[in-house]
Short mmCIF file of all heavy atoms in Angstrom, two decimals:
data_model
loop_
_atom_site.label_atom_id
_atom_site.label_comp_id
_atom_site.label_asym_id
_atom_site.label_seq_id
_atom_site.Cartn_x
_atom_site.Cartn_y
_atom_site.Cartn_z
N SER A 405 5.95 -24.63 -16.38
CA SER A 405 7.04 -24.42 -17.31
C SER A 405 7.06 -25.45 -18.44
O SER A 405 7.81 -25.24 -19.45
CB SER A 405 8.42 -24.44 -16.58
OG SER A 405 8.75 -25.74 -16.21
N LEU A 406 6.32 -26.52 -18.25
CA LEU A 406 6.27 -27.50 -19.32
C LEU A 406 5.31 -27.13 -20.50
O LEU A 406 5.31 -27.82 -21.50
CB LEU A 406 5.80 -28.85 -18.74
CG LEU A 406 6.71 -29.48 -17.69
CD1 LEU A 406 6.06 -30.76 -17.15
CD2 LEU A 406 8.09 -29.71 -18.20
N THR A 407 4.58 -26.02 -20.27
CA THR A 407 3.68 -25.56 -21.31
C THR A 407 3.86 -24.06 -21.69
O THR A 407 3.12 -23.55 -22.52
CB THR A 407 2.18 -25.73 -20.91
OG1 THR A 407 1.96 -25.05 -19.66
CG2 THR A 407 1.90 -27.17 -20.68
N ILE A 408 4.88 -23.45 -21.06
CA ILE A 408 5.11 -22.04 -21.39
C ILE A 408 6.54 -21.68 -21.01
O ILE A 408 7.21 -22.33 -20.23
CB ILE A 408 4.12 -21.13 -20.57
CG1 ILE A 408 4.06 -19.71 -21.16
CG2 ILE A 408 4.54 -21.03 -19.11
CD1 ILE A 408 2.89 -18.91 -20.61
N ASP A 409 7.10 -20.61 -21.71
CA ASP A 409 8.44 -20.15 -21.44
C ASP A 409 8.40 -19.20 -20.33
O ASP A 409 7.78 -18.14 -20.39
CB ASP A 409 9.02 -19.51 -22.67
CG ASP A 409 9.04 -20.44 -23.90
OD1 ASP A 409 9.99 -21.26 -23.91
OD2 ASP A 409 8.19 -20.32 -24.70
N LEU A 410 9.13 -19.51 -19.22
CA LEU A 410 9.06 -18.59 -18.02
C LEU A 410 10.41 -18.33 -17.33
O LEU A 410 10.42 -17.64 -16.29
CB LEU A 410 8.03 -19.15 -17.04
CG LEU A 410 8.09 -20.55 -16.48
CD1 LEU A 410 9.30 -20.80 -15.61
CD2 LEU A 410 6.89 -20.88 -15.76
N PHE A 411 11.48 -18.91 -17.88
CA PHE A 411 12.76 -18.78 -17.12
C PHE A 411 13.28 -17.39 -17.07
O PHE A 411 14.18 -17.05 -16.27
CB PHE A 411 13.84 -19.74 -17.77
CG PHE A 411 14.96 -20.04 -16.81
CD1 PHE A 411 14.78 -20.35 -15.51
CD2 PHE A 411 16.21 -20.06 -17.28
CE1 PHE A 411 15.78 -20.68 -14.68
CE2 PHE A 411 17.34 -20.36 -16.49
CZ PHE A 411 17.08 -20.69 -15.14
N THR A 412 12.76 -16.49 -17.93
CA THR A 412 13.19 -15.11 -17.85
C THR A 412 12.09 -14.21 -17.22
O THR A 412 12.24 -13.00 -17.24
CB THR A 412 13.48 -14.54 -19.27
OG1 THR A 412 12.27 -14.73 -20.09
CG2 THR A 412 14.62 -15.32 -19.94
N TYR A 413 11.06 -14.78 -16.64
CA TYR A 413 9.98 -14.07 -16.10
C TYR A 413 10.27 -13.90 -14.50
O TYR A 413 10.59 -14.91 -13.86
CB TYR A 413 8.62 -14.74 -16.26
CG TYR A 413 8.06 -14.39 -17.66
CD1 TYR A 413 8.55 -15.00 -18.79
CD2 TYR A 413 7.13 -13.42 -17.79
CE1 TYR A 413 8.04 -14.67 -20.05
CE2 TYR A 413 6.63 -13.06 -19.00
CZ TYR A 413 7.11 -13.67 -20.18
OH TYR A 413 6.62 -13.36 -21.40
N LYS A 414 10.02 -12.71 -14.02
CA LYS A 414 10.36 -12.35 -12.66
C LYS A 414 9.53 -13.08 -11.65
O LYS A 414 9.96 -13.39 -10.54
CB LYS A 414 10.28 -10.84 -12.46
CG LYS A 414 11.25 -10.10 -13.37
CD LYS A 414 10.98 -8.60 -13.19
CE LYS A 414 11.94 -7.78 -14.14
NZ LYS A 414 11.58 -7.94 -15.53
N TYR A 415 8.24 -13.48 -11.96
CA TYR A 415 7.42 -14.15 -10.98
C TYR A 415 8.00 -15.55 -10.71
O TYR A 415 7.86 -16.10 -9.60
CB TYR A 415 5.95 -14.22 -11.47
CG TYR A 415 5.73 -15.06 -12.68
CD1 TYR A 415 5.60 -16.49 -12.60
CD2 TYR A 415 5.55 -14.49 -13.93
CE1 TYR A 415 5.33 -17.27 -13.71
CE2 TYR A 415 5.26 -15.31 -15.06
CZ TYR A 415 5.18 -16.67 -14.89
OH TYR A 415 4.91 -17.45 -16.02
N ALA A 416 8.61 -16.18 -11.71
CA ALA A 416 9.26 -17.50 -11.46
C ALA A 416 10.49 -17.36 -10.58
O ALA A 416 10.74 -18.16 -9.58
CB ALA A 416 9.61 -18.15 -12.75
N TRP A 417 11.28 -16.32 -10.82
CA TRP A 417 12.48 -16.08 -10.04
C TRP A 417 12.14 -15.60 -8.65
O TRP A 417 12.90 -15.83 -7.69
CB TRP A 417 13.37 -15.02 -10.74
CG TRP A 417 14.18 -15.67 -11.81
CD1 TRP A 417 13.80 -15.82 -13.11
CD2 TRP A 417 15.49 -16.33 -11.69
NE1 TRP A 417 14.75 -16.49 -13.87
CE2 TRP A 417 15.76 -16.78 -13.02
CE3 TRP A 417 16.29 -16.49 -10.66
CZ2 TRP A 417 16.98 -17.47 -13.28
CZ3 TRP A 417 17.50 -17.14 -10.93
CH2 TRP A 417 17.80 -17.63 -12.16
N LEU A 418 10.99 -14.97 -8.49
CA LEU A 418 10.58 -14.52 -7.14
C LEU A 418 10.46 -15.74 -6.13
O LEU A 418 10.73 -15.61 -5.00
CB LEU A 418 9.24 -13.73 -7.22
CG LEU A 418 8.82 -12.95 -5.98
CD1 LEU A 418 9.93 -12.02 -5.56
CD2 LEU A 418 7.51 -12.21 -6.24
N VAL A 419 9.96 -16.82 -6.66
CA VAL A 419 9.90 -18.03 -5.85
C VAL A 419 11.31 -18.43 -5.38
O VAL A 419 11.53 -18.76 -4.22
CB VAL A 419 9.21 -19.20 -6.64
CG1 VAL A 419 9.11 -20.45 -5.76
CG2 VAL A 419 7.84 -18.79 -7.11
N LEU A 420 12.20 -18.41 -6.29
CA LEU A 420 13.58 -18.78 -5.99
C LEU A 420 14.23 -17.80 -5.03
O LEU A 420 14.99 -18.16 -4.14
CB LEU A 420 14.41 -18.89 -7.28
CG LEU A 420 13.92 -19.96 -8.25
CD1 LEU A 420 14.57 -19.75 -9.63
CD2 LEU A 420 14.27 -21.35 -7.75
N PHE A 421 13.97 -16.49 -5.26
CA PHE A 421 14.49 -15.45 -4.33
C PHE A 421 14.03 -15.75 -2.87
O PHE A 421 14.84 -15.75 -1.91
CB PHE A 421 13.99 -14.05 -4.73
CG PHE A 421 14.55 -13.54 -6.00
CD1 PHE A 421 13.87 -12.58 -6.72
CD2 PHE A 421 15.69 -14.10 -6.54
CE1 PHE A 421 14.35 -12.08 -7.91
CE2 PHE A 421 16.14 -13.65 -7.78
CZ PHE A 421 15.49 -12.65 -8.42
N LEU A 422 12.75 -15.94 -2.65
CA LEU A 422 12.22 -16.10 -1.30
C LEU A 422 12.60 -17.46 -0.69
O LEU A 422 12.61 -17.63 0.49
CB LEU A 422 10.73 -15.84 -1.32
CG LEU A 422 10.34 -14.42 -1.65
CD1 LEU A 422 8.90 -14.14 -1.44
CD2 LEU A 422 11.21 -13.39 -0.82
N ILE A 423 12.79 -18.48 -1.54
CA ILE A 423 13.35 -19.74 -1.03
C ILE A 423 14.72 -19.48 -0.44
O ILE A 423 15.04 -20.04 0.65
CB ILE A 423 13.38 -20.80 -2.12
CG1 ILE A 423 11.94 -21.33 -2.42
CG2 ILE A 423 14.35 -21.96 -1.78
CD1 ILE A 423 11.84 -22.35 -3.52
N ALA A 424 15.53 -18.81 -1.12
CA ALA A 424 16.89 -18.46 -0.58
C ALA A 424 16.78 -17.63 0.68
O ALA A 424 17.52 -17.85 1.65
CB ALA A 424 17.70 -17.69 -1.61
N PHE A 425 15.81 -16.74 0.66
CA PHE A 425 15.58 -15.91 1.90
C PHE A 425 15.13 -16.74 3.04
O PHE A 425 15.56 -16.58 4.20
CB PHE A 425 14.56 -14.82 1.57
CG PHE A 425 14.67 -13.61 2.47
CD1 PHE A 425 15.81 -12.85 2.45
CD2 PHE A 425 13.68 -13.24 3.28
CE1 PHE A 425 15.93 -11.72 3.21
CE2 PHE A 425 13.76 -12.19 4.11
CZ PHE A 425 14.91 -11.39 4.08
N LEU A 426 14.23 -17.70 2.81
CA LEU A 426 13.78 -18.62 3.84
C LEU A 426 14.89 -19.49 4.38
O LEU A 426 15.08 -19.72 5.60
CB LEU A 426 12.70 -19.54 3.34
CG LEU A 426 12.21 -20.69 4.24
CD1 LEU A 426 11.69 -20.16 5.54
CD2 LEU A 426 11.13 -21.49 3.51
N ARG A 427 15.82 -19.93 3.51
CA ARG A 427 16.93 -20.75 3.99
C ARG A 427 17.84 -19.96 4.90
O ARG A 427 18.33 -20.47 5.87
CB ARG A 427 17.77 -21.21 2.70
CG ARG A 427 18.90 -22.15 3.08
CD ARG A 427 19.70 -22.50 1.83
NE ARG A 427 20.41 -21.36 1.23
CZ ARG A 427 20.13 -20.90 0.02
NH1 ARG A 427 19.14 -21.40 -0.70
NH2 ARG A 427 20.80 -19.84 -0.41
#
Side-chain angles (χ1 to χ4, degrees):
S405 73
L406 298 178
T407 58
I408 198 168
D409 300 282
L410 54 68
F411 200 44
T412 58
Y413 278 78
K414 298 176 183 67
Y415 68 82
W417 281 89
L418 192 56
V419 181
L420 298 165
F421 293 158
L422 294 188
I423 284 178
F425 205 63
L426 172 59
R427 184 181 67 245

